[in-house]
Structure formats: structure tokens, C-alpha cells
């Protein structure tokens, strides 16, 4: 990737999540910090509707503080309600973030993890989707890294370390 571009705190940036070579979602965010390895941005829930996962509801007014690493295979998103209370942490297993003039680009590898605000619930998500994606045949090295990342996220969640980000 060459010399890492760092983003300026307070600046606007686009976050793009891709999956299987296509843009899944793209949204604006504000840069909180960029130390050259980890980028932290803040973004409001960008949809006018509620998305109910059963274990959490993302709704208008929610704010996501998102942590992306240039050297880790995941992203961690702290989710807060409009009143400022923490709902929990939603973690995406991704390839390391690419940061450049067009913003932050991450490739979703299907595996996710959720930890509730009180830490009592830790859920591994979308493992069936991961298996169906064909990545284990197409890119076994990336598949292995993705599984390692999910295990590491679960260990961090169960150890209470996601809260310390």
C-alpha cells in the first residue's frame, strides 16, 4: 500500500463497505482520530428506518463510533442510542482497512460478532453465510485469517476489552 495516508481529526470521510467486489454500503462519517494504524470515525445511523436484528435495534438517532485498522482483519463499532447510552458493539470481520483520498474502504468477509452493552451477550453471527460465500475454496488464506479474527474478537468481548477501545 506504500506510505499510509492519515486522516485529519474533524474532517469528513466516506466509509465504503464492499462485499464480493461490489459496494454494499457507503456513508459519510467524521474522523475522530487517525494514528496511522487505527482510524476512528463517528457516523449516525444512516437509514430513516429501524433495522431489528432481534438482539439489537439500529434506529434513527443512533450513533456509531467505528474503529478500523490497517493491520487487523476486523472493525469494531460502538453503538449508542440517541440518549447516549451504549447499546453494544457490532464487529465486522473484514480485510484490513484501506485508507486513501476516497476515504476508508473495507471488504466484508461475512463473519460478525455482537456484544451487548452489559457484556452478558456475545453472539457469533453469519457463520452460515461465510460458509456459503465460497471464500474457503477461493481464498483459503483469507478464510483462515477471517476465522482467526472472529476468535480474537470473541476473546476480547468475553474479556471485556471491546469497551476499552
Amino acid at each position: 500500500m506504500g506510505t499510509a495516508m492519515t486522516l485529519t481529526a474533524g474532517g469528513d470521510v466516506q466509509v465504503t463497505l464492499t462485499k464480493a467486489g461490489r459496494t454494499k454500503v457507503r456513508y459519510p462519517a467524521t474522523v475522530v482520530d487517525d494514528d496511522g494504524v487505527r482510524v476512528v470515525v463517528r457516523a449516525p445511523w444512516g437509514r430513516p428506518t429501524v433495522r431489528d436484528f432481534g438482539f439489537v435495534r439500529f434506529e434513527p438517532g443512533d450513533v456509531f463510533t467505528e474503529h478500523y485498522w490497517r493491520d487487523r482483519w476486523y472493525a469494531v463499532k460502538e453503538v449508542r442510542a440517541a440518549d447516549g447510552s451504549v447499546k453494544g458493539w457490532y464487529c465486522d470481520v473484514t480485510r484490513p482497512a484501506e485508507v486513501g483520498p476516497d476515504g476508508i474502504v473495507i471488504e466484508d468477509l461475512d463473519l460478525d460478532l455482537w456484544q451487548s452493552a452489559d457484556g452478558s451477550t456475545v453472539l457469533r453471527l453469519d457463520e452460515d453465510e461465510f460458509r456459503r460465500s465460497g471464500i474457503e475454496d477461493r481464498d483459503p488464506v483469507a478464510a483462515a485469517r477471517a476465522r482467526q479474527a472472529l476468535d480474537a474478537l470473541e476473546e476480547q468481548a468475553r474479556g471485556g476489552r471491546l469497551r476499552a477501545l
Side-chain angles (χ1 to χ4, degrees):
M1 192 163 63
T3 304
M5 175 185 176
T6 57
L7 303 174
T8 304
D12 295 328
V13 67
Q14 289 290 313
V15 176
T16 304
L17 179 67
T18 65
K19 185 172 176 177
R22 290 188 220 155
T23 298
K24 185 175 170 184
V25 66
R26 184 179 179 124
Y27 54 91
T30 301
V31 178
V32 174
D33 185 50
D34 183 355
D35 65 9
V37 176
R38 180 180 70 165
V39 181
V40 182
V41 302
R42 190 164 290 127
W45 172 246
R47 296 182 181 164
T49 58
V50 172
R51 178 124 187 242
D52 190 341
F53 290 94
F55 52 86
V56 65
R57 290 168 46 106
F58 296 161
E59 40 202 350
D62 287 354
V63 176
F64 290 66
T65 301
E66 305 175 354
H67 302 257
Y68 299 100
W69 286 267
R70 292 171 175 89
D71 63 351
R72 295 185 191 177
W73 285 67
Y74 57 79
V76 176
K77 302 170 182 180
E78 179 192 73
V79 184
R80 289 185 179 265
D83 67 4
S85 62
V86 176
K87 290 184 172 188
W89 293 266
Y90 195 92
C91 307
D92 289 310
V93 173
T94 67
R95 291 184 189 270
E98 294 180 20
V99 181
D102 295 329
I104 301 166
V105 178
I106 53 170
E107 182 183 347
D108 185 2
L109 297 176
D110 293 314
L111 296 171
D112 301 301
L113 183 119
W114 169 257
Q115 180 182 19
S116 61
D118 66 3
S120 65
T121 302
V122 176
L123 301 172
R124 292 170 70 108
L125 306 168
D126 302 328
E127 290 182 282
D128 55 339
E129 192 175 327
F130 179 79
R131 282 189 295 277
R132 285 193 309 268
S133 75
I135 191 171
E136 292 171 300
D137 295 326
R138 194 175 59 256
D139 192 343
V141 172
R145 295 294 300 264
R147 288 202 178 280
Q148 291 167 354
L150 184 61
D151 291 344
L153 284 166
E154 183 176 13
E155 183 179 313
Q156 289 178 56
R158 296 198 184 281
R161 292 188 305 279
L162 292 181
R163 290 176 223 177
L165 291 176

